Amino acid sequence: ACLQCGTPVYVTPSRLQKGQVNYCSVRCGSLSKAISPSDIWQYGERAENGCLIWARGHLASGYGALRLNGHSDTVHRVAWEVINGPIPTGMHVCHHCDNPPCFEPTHLFLGTPADNMADKVSKGRAIGCRGETSGSAILTESQVREIRQRFRDEDVSGAALGREYGVAKTTIFSIVHRRKWKHVV
């Protein structure tokens, strides 16, 4: 999206990092250079939940974005620095509200990458990457139960089960010995 007005414009992450950002027009590109960090507050819209939502351009991830002094940044990081000073190296500016376009200073906190991940997990935003919810899953939980039962009760090899279910015999071995799909009873 155009970092000035939000009109859809394709910008790759690598171009964004290099400060090579597209705008929908020359006017938007020149206007974006006029924003100073202390001016960001006038481009926020207050939501009912108290969030201050960036009303201009957003990244595909939903974070508000702008161009300051020749480089691009996310608005919540700029807001943190305006209020609290520089962000220490290696630290993330995280959201209590879990709302990427929000830049309300009271909704922001500093954390390490591990803190950020722990916050994500504690709030239920971490997508489980095991079992059927994994994007690479071939089998279902019911198939895993069938495989274990058939391996135990029938005289069928792991290779034969693998061919039948479309997985490698090593996958069958890992399933029956509970190295994979441990959570399936």
Side-chain angles (χ1 to χ4, degrees):
C2 173
L3 292 182
Q4 183 64 24
C5 69
T7 301
V9 176
Y10 181 73
V11 180
T12 63
S14 62
R15 290 193 67 200
L16 184 65
Q17 286 178 331
K18 295 174 187 172
Q20 299 170 340
V21 180
N22 291 334
Y23 295 92
C24 66
S25 67
V26 174
R27 180 179 180 273
C28 276
S30 62
L31 282 175
S32 69
K33 295 173 184 140
I35 298 175
S36 70
S38 59
D39 290 339
I40 63 173
W41 313 113
Q42 67 186 354
Y43 300 108
E45 295 175 358
R46 189 65 64 181
E48 287 182 26
N49 63 358
C51 287
L52 185 59
I53 306 298
W54 184 245
R56 288 186 164 200
H58 294 82
L59 301 176
S61 59
Y63 290 96
L66 75 162
R67 189 168 173 87
L68 293 171
N69 303 321
H71 75 281
S72 299
D73 208 343
T74 53
V75 178
H76 70 291
R77 290 179 60 86
V78 173
W80 177 272
E81 289 184 331
V82 167
I83 300 298
N84 302 294
I87 301 166
T89 302
M91 297 297 279
H92 288 210
V93 177
C94 309
H95 288 84
H96 289 295
C97 61
D98 294 333
N99 190 1
C102 176
F103 65 108
E104 167 59 45
T106 62
H107 292 193
L108 305 174
F109 66 98
L110 279 184
T112 64
D115 295 334
N116 195 23
M117 188 57 67
D119 180 60
K120 178 180 178 179
V121 170
S122 73
K123 293 176 179 172
R125 289 185 292 110
I127 297 171
C129 290
R130 66 178 198 177
E132 294 178 39
T133 59
S134 170
S136 61
I138 295 171
L139 302 170
T140 64
E141 289 185 8
S142 62
Q143 288 174 319
V144 168
R145 288 185 194 95
E146 285 174 20
I147 289 167
R148 287 182 179 149
Q149 182 180 3
R150 290 184 62 200
F151 190 84
R152 182 179 59 243
D153 298 344
E154 301 174 16
D155 189 23
V156 60
S157 70
L161 286 169
R163 283 190 299 274
E164 184 178 335
Y165 288 92
V167 296
K169 66 181 179 182
T170 54
T171 300
I172 299 296
F173 180 85
S174 295
I175 289 170
V176 297
H177 293 287
R178 296 191 177 274
R179 292 188 179 142
K180 290 186 177 181
W181 295 81
K182 298 175 196 175
H183 65 286
V184 177
V185 183

